Amino acid sequence: MTRANSAVDAMPTSTPVRPARPKDAVQSLERAIAVLTTFDREHRHLTLTEVAERCRLPRSAARRFLHTLVELGFVEVSGRKFTLTPQVLELGYANLSRFTLADVCRPHLEALARNLGLSASVTVLDGPDIRYVSRVEVASGMSVSLKAGSRLPAHRTATGRVLLAALPEAELNRHLDFSAPQDPHPAPAHDERSRLERELDIIRRQGWAFADQVLDVGVQALAVPLRSRTGRVVGALTVSMYQTHESARTLVPRYLPPLLETAGRISLELRAGIDV
């Protein structure tokens, strides 16, 4: 070995110099975004330890970020596993895809409402409530005015019951236990909850929910789930009827087939355009 080579070999290996963070950058925000973006197609459900390792964060820091994101509704937890919720669409992820959830749903809702002469909506679960993503309304006597962004207690609506029925047991219990102070629609009491849990079990098996004057006098609603590429329920489609004086026995056979057909079309587009 020559002296020149020895000198080169003895030189310390250089390491890449990380650009200095701008003085106005907020490190905690950078870390929160890192936690959100660590979930991807191959890593949909992660434990606290896995999030900490993938983000190169201390477990204590990862725990604080995850539980803050849970509180804000962007992440949900079931047992030891964390996963993103459809609410992350609001952060602009869907805008990077070809469609937003509302974009996908709107033409289908318009066709469904026109064909059936009924109001049609798509909702997602947002904490103890449902949140309307898109709605096409026909004239009705409902006292509740609904539009995209409106929220209603999940356990008092057909779409909410479809979405609740799809939850793991621990997460369902958390939703049913929740009641905000001075909430005009408090969490179900013990007797109501027992009846609701029995109904959710039926909905889980049959794949649809019918609500008869649960939220508003004279209003009936039929709802079915919307599924993502993985088969996960990410939303619910519903049509509502006003003062029909008919029972589920006659309304469900009439409206369930077109509702299921529309839900299938929306779900196919969700799988192609949005991976939630």
Side-chain angles (χ1 to χ4, degrees):
M1 179 180 298
T2 66
R3 182 175 300 178
N5 286 339
S6 298
V8 170
D9 291 341
M11 292 176 63
T13 303
S14 62
T15 57
V17 178
R18 182 175 298 177
R21 179 184 291 109
K23 64 178 182 180
D24 293 330
V26 180
Q27 186 181 48
S28 58
L29 178 58
E30 291 176 354
R31 290 180 171 182
I33 292 174
V35 169
L36 277 177
T37 55
T38 197
F39 295 90
D40 56 29
R41 185 175 300 177
E42 286 74 35
H43 304 89
R44 297 179 181 277
H45 307 280
L46 297 171
T47 65
L48 168 61
T49 299
E50 289 168 338
V51 170
E53 289 176 351
R54 285 173 57 80
C55 295
R56 299 181 180 179
L57 289 173
R59 276 175 53 90
S60 58
R63 181 185 294 109
R64 290 196 300 272
F65 286 118
L66 282 169
H67 285 288
T68 299
L69 291 167
V70 168
E71 186 69 21
L72 292 174
F74 295 113
V75 171
E76 60 188 15
V77 58
S78 179
R80 297 176 57 247
K81 295 284 189 176
F82 294 85
T83 189
L84 298 183
T85 72
Q87 189 170 323
V88 297
L89 295 176
E90 296 180 354
L91 295 177
Y93 166 73
N95 291 330
L96 300 179
S97 185
R98 291 200 312 152
F99 302 109
T100 66
L101 183 57
D103 289 335
V104 171
C105 296
R106 187 73 187 183
H108 296 288
L109 292 182
E110 290 174 347
L112 186 64
R114 182 173 58 253
N115 293 339
L116 300 183
L118 302 174
S119 297
S121 310
V122 167
T123 70
V124 295
L125 198 60
D126 190 354
D129 301 327
I130 56 164
R131 178 165 44 83
Y132 283 78
V133 172
S134 186
R135 179 170 171 82
V136 175
E137 191 162 357
V138 299
S140 74
M142 285 185 66
S143 64
V144 179
S145 178
L146 300 172
K147 58 184 179 180
S150 294
R151 297 165 65 103
L152 290 173
H155 68 280
R156 293 174 61 85
T157 63
T159 56
R161 292 179 180 186
V162 164
L163 294 167
L164 290 173
L167 295 178
E169 183 177 359
E171 192 175 344
L172 173 62
N173 288 334
R174 188 172 70 251
H175 277 77
L176 297 183
D177 287 339
F178 182 87
S179 181
Q182 300 179 336
D183 190 338
H185 301 290
H190 178 72
D191 290 345
E192 182 187 3
R193 177 166 175 162
S194 297
R195 290 194 300 271
L196 178 61
E197 288 174 339
R198 290 194 295 271
E199 183 176 347
L200 293 179
D201 188 52
I202 295 172
I203 293 168
R204 199 174 291 116
R205 294 196 304 269
Q206 68 187 14
W208 52 269
F210 184 81
D212 191 351
Q213 305 186 80
V214 176
L215 183 68
D216 203 9
V217 175
V219 177
Q220 298 160 302
L222 181 63
V224 296
L226 300 175
R227 298 182 183 275
S228 71
R229 182 178 302 171
T230 62
R232 177 170 171 249
V233 174
V234 295
L237 169 68
T238 184
V239 290
S240 52
M241 297 72 76
Y242 183 71
Q243 289 188 338
T244 64
H245 305 294
E246 296 183 63
S247 68
R249 187 184 299 272
T250 58
L251 292 174
V252 172
R254 184 186 312 162
Y255 295 124
L256 184 58
L259 196 62
L260 288 172
E261 183 180 357
T262 301
R265 290 175 179 171
I266 293 174
S267 293
L268 281 175
E269 288 198 37
L270 289 179
R271 294 166 193 168
I274 300 178
D275 193 14
V276 294

